[in-house]
Each structure stands twice: as C-alpha cells, then as structure tokens.
Amino acid sequence: MNEKRRILIVDDEPDMTLLFKMALESDGSFTVSTFNDPLLALSIFKEGLYDLIILDIKMPKMDGLDLYQEIKKIDTKVKICFLTASEMYYEEFRKEAYCSLDKDMFLRKPIQNEDFLEKINAMIRSD
C-alpha cells in the first residue's frame, strides 16, 4: 500500500478547513492537518513534513502570500497552492509582487469536491 500524502491546509474559516479535510481524506490517499491561525501553523511547520500546503490568501494576522514566503524560508521544496474567493484580488496580487507564481497554483472558492481532488492530485504529481 502506498504511503499517504501529507497535506497542510491553512484557512481562517473552520468550515472551509473541515470541508477540504473531509474531501481529501475521503479517498484514503491523504492525511490532512488543518489550521485556522496562520501564525500557529507557521510555528509548528517543519521542513519535509508535507507534500502539499494549501493556503487561503485572505486571513487575519498574516495573509497566505506572506505565510508562503515564510514557509519557503523553512522548506524551499514544498509545493504550495492558494485558495481565493476573489479572482480580481489574486490577479492584482499576481501582477504586483507574485507574477512568478503559476496561475495553476490558485484554486477558486467555492470549488466542487471532485474538481478539488483532481487539482490537488495533479499538483502533488507534478514536479
């Protein structure tokens, strides 16, 4: 049996983290850790612990793009994608400071479970 892939989800909305965790763990190939506080998530983060990190962009205390930068200082190889409810918000962000980020790293909320699982599996398989 294959080892389960480890995913970290950081979103300030507990309903969203629960929904995504349930969707990802439903097929048995993922182990999911969730945090609603980006600073707490950062405080426990260790290199090599996760195969993929999913970050909400708009969060109090620290937004997802700042958290991304901090995580990359700890683990340069970890794959990260972003959740956003606002296409315009992320387009502006990408134009300004994050133009090097691939647009495929962004998932729009709301997202159907099947689409979400498909995109997450594709991200984990990609190099």
Side-chain angles (χ1 to χ4, degrees):
M1 189 174 147
N2 289 343
E3 189 177 320
K4 288 186 180 186
R5 300 294 193 131
R6 293 184 51 85
I7 295 179
L8 170 65
I9 302 173
V10 186
D11 190 315
D12 61 313
E13 296 177 48
D15 293 354
M16 294 306 295
T17 52
L18 180 62
L19 188 70
F20 290 134
K21 179 181 173 77
M22 287 171 38
L24 287 166
E25 289 185 340
S26 67
D27 77 348
S29 37
F30 300 109
T31 299
V32 181
S33 301
T34 62
F35 286 89
N36 303 116
D37 180 336
L39 296 176
L40 183 59
L42 182 60
S43 74
I44 63 91
F45 184 77
K46 305 251 184 305
E47 182 178 7
L49 195 57
Y50 297 102
D51 297 293
L52 178 70
I53 300 173
I54 303 169
L55 303 175
D56 186 21
I57 292 180
K58 290 182 93 173
M59 295 184 283
K61 299 184 189 174
M62 175 183 270
D63 72 37
L65 293 160
D66 289 339
L67 183 55
Y68 165 85
Q69 288 183 316
E70 292 304 312
I71 286 171
K72 282 297 193 176
K73 289 177 188 174
I74 299 167
D75 188 342
T76 58
K77 294 184 179 88
V78 70
K79 295 176 185 181
I80 298 178
C81 70
F82 299 96
L83 292 166
T84 181
S86 168
E87 189 79 20
M88 285 174 47
Y89 180 79
Y90 108 76
E91 283 295 337
E92 281 306 305
F93 243 86
R94 284 195 51 224
K95 271 187 235 149
E96 289 168 27
Y98 295 90
C99 56
S100 65
L101 295 180
D102 186 330
K103 70 174 178 53
D104 293 337
M105 292 172 60
F106 292 85
L107 302 174
R108 288 209 44 208
K109 294 189 281 188
I111 185 169
Q112 296 295 319
N113 283 354
E114 300 80 33
D115 293 340
F116 180 65
L117 281 168
E118 189 177 306
K119 287 177 190 266
I120 296 306
N121 276 305
M123 280 180 215
I124 283 184
R125 285 192 302 266
S126 72
D127 279 328

